[in-house]
Each structure stands twice: as structure tokens, then as C-alpha cells.
Amino acid sequence: MITSEVPCLKQMMDMYEAYGSTILGVQTVAPDQVDKYGIVQGGQIADRMYTVENMVEKPKVGEAPSNVAVLGRYIINPAIFPLLEKQEAGAGGEIQLTDALCKLAQQEKMYAYDFIGRRYDVGSKIGFLQATVDFALDRQDLREEFMAYLQEVVKNG
């Protein structure tokens, strides 16, 4: 989940209009976290914009080409479909989008945009809990009662 003043996809659409090619939504991660993500190999070309030459899926810490992580937001040109049709199974015995994107990056320009916003990794237990607490505290109809509950938990916990 991503929260931001300007929705992440709108930011990416603006970049697609400017660059006219596939845009991957990315954010930088701590170097010790690269093994959890697909990592972009490329170069920075503008503020928050990178070229994509290749991607490495969950590289070992210390072996990643960067700390620019792909975070599940994409605007992909239709040229991906023929590549997906021919893509052989990869990790986990499944067809991997990352593998097809790597091939697409060899055929046409591809970019990565470091979007502005707070990302919650709701696939992890702590990320799910962080999102739940933050969203509850943002709701005026829940904030006061929920804050009192949290204070009680901390006091008695």
C-alpha cells in the first residue's frame, strides 16, 4: 500500500507522458534490504528517474547493482505480451514478470521512477500492523478512541 498527496500511479503516468516508455515504480531501500526485492541496474538520469538496463531479483546483500527496488507498480508497454507468451518458468516454477521485463529492457528504453509516498509492506506482519495503526490514527472518527487504547496497551504492556 502506498499513501501520498499525489497518487503513485498518477506520478508514474506523468513520467510515462514525459518519457514515452515503460515506467517501473521504485524506491531506494537500505543496502541490507536488497535481498527482499527486485533491484534495478541502470543509471540516474534526472531527479527521481533512472534508466533500466537490467534487473536482479532478490540479490544477495553486497552483490546488488544498486539499492533501487521495484515495488509492484508498473506502466508497461504492450510489447511485454509477446515476451510473456514465450517466457519460460523461472523462480518457483512460475513465469516471472521480472524475467520478461529484463528482455523488454534490452529491446526498448525502460525507466524507473522513485515515486513520492509512504509505502507499507503489508505482505509482512510488521508492515501490515504499521499500516493498520497509521490508517486508524488518520481517521477522525477512530483516532481519539484508538489512541486511548494504544496508550492503555503501552501502560499495561
Side-chain angles (χ1 to χ4, degrees), residues 33-101:
Q33 299 293 306
V34 295
D35 60 339
K36 298 177 182 174
Y37 303 97
I39 301 295
V40 168
Q41 180 178 357
Q44 189 166 3
I45 57 171
D47 185 37
R48 309 186 83 83
M49 283 300 289
Y50 301 84
T51 58
V52 177
E53 297 164 11
N54 199 5
M55 287 181 286
V56 180
E57 188 63 34
K58 298 180 180 167
K60 292 180 181 176
V61 172
E63 296 180 12
S66 75
N67 66 332
V68 178
V70 180
L71 298 173
R73 299 294 184 274
Y74 312 90
I75 298 176
I76 305 173
N77 282 339
I80 194 73
F81 293 113
L83 298 173
L84 286 169
E85 287 177 354
K86 296 176 186 174
Q87 185 64 50
E88 294 184 19
E94 299 175 346
I95 294 174
Q96 298 293 324
L97 178 60
T98 300
D99 295 338
L101 285 170

Side-chain angles (χ1 to χ4, degrees), residues 2-6 11 27 48 114-119:
I2 299 167
T3 61
S4 59
E5 284 188 34
V6 176
Q11 294 175 53
Q27 284 190 326
R48 309 186 83 83
D114 184 355
F115 60 86
I116 298 167
R118 166 83 192 264
R119 181 185 64 88

